[in-house]
Amino acid sequence: MKLGTSVLRRTAHSLAFILLLAQAAPAQDERLTSLLEGAVTFSLPAEWAEQRHVDGPRHGYAHLKIPYAEAERAGQTARAALSAGAVPPGVTVRHISDGVYQNKYEGLAVIRDDLDGDEWRTVVWKAKFDAAPYLTLHRFGVSAGKQVELMVSLPLVEGAGADAWLARAVEQFNAACESLKIDGKNKFGTRLKPDKITAALKAKR
C-alpha cells in the first residue's frame, strides 16, 4: 500500500513538472501567422524569433530577430519586420514602395526591383547603417484597401560561412513571401536566387 502511494506521488510530481514545462515553452501553434485580425496571413521561418508584435483591425506589425552568430560577434543583428495596415482608395504598391529610392542611407544601391502584377513588388537593396553594410530584402503588397510590407535586413559580414548563411536567409525570405497573402491572395513570381544576389553584391563593391 505504501509502495502504491509512493508511486502515485512520484507520478503526480512528474505530471506537475511536465505541465510546468508545457506552460513555460511556447507551443508551435502559438507562432504568429496573421495580422489585421486574419486579413493578412503568412508562415515565417521557425528560427526567426519574434520579439514583439501588435495587431488590430487597421494596423499590425511584428519585429523578429534572425540568428546569425558571426554578425552578432561583430555587434550587428539580422532582423525581419512585418507590417500591415489599411490604406485609402487609390493607393497602389508603387505608392508604398517607391520610397526605397528616396532613402538617404549611405551607399544606397538597388540590386533588384521586380513587380509581380499590379499589387506586389520585391526590391533588393544594400546600404550602410552605422557604417556597417547591410543587404535588405523588401516585399510589398497592396490589395483591397490593405497593404503589407516584409523587410529583412541582413548584415554583410566577412567569414567562411557568410555566403552559405546569406543563401539560406534568401531562401527563407522566398518562402515567407510565397506564403504572404492579403485576403487569401498572392502573386509571387520573383523568387530570388542566392547566387545572383551574391554576384550582384560583389559587383557593387
Side-chain angles (χ1 to χ4, degrees), residues 105-124:
Y105 300 126
E106 179 186 356
L108 174 68
V110 173
I111 293 171
R112 284 196 60 161
D113 186 348
D114 299 280
L115 281 165
D116 286 322
D118 296 327
E119 297 181 337
W120 297 89
R121 186 179 190 179
T122 302
V123 184
V124 179

Side-chain angles (χ1 to χ4, degrees), residues 67-87:
Y68 189 10
E70 193 72 26
E72 288 162 17
R73 281 193 287 270
Q76 300 167 38
T77 305
R79 298 188 184 277
L82 182 63
S83 65
V87 293

Side-chain angles (χ1 to χ4, degrees), residues 20-21 34 41 45 72 86 88 107 121 163-164 166 178 187:
L20 182 62
L21 287 178
S34 69
T41 55
E72 288 162 17
R121 186 179 190 179
D163 286 352
L166 182 62
E178 192 168 21
K187 186 173 183 180

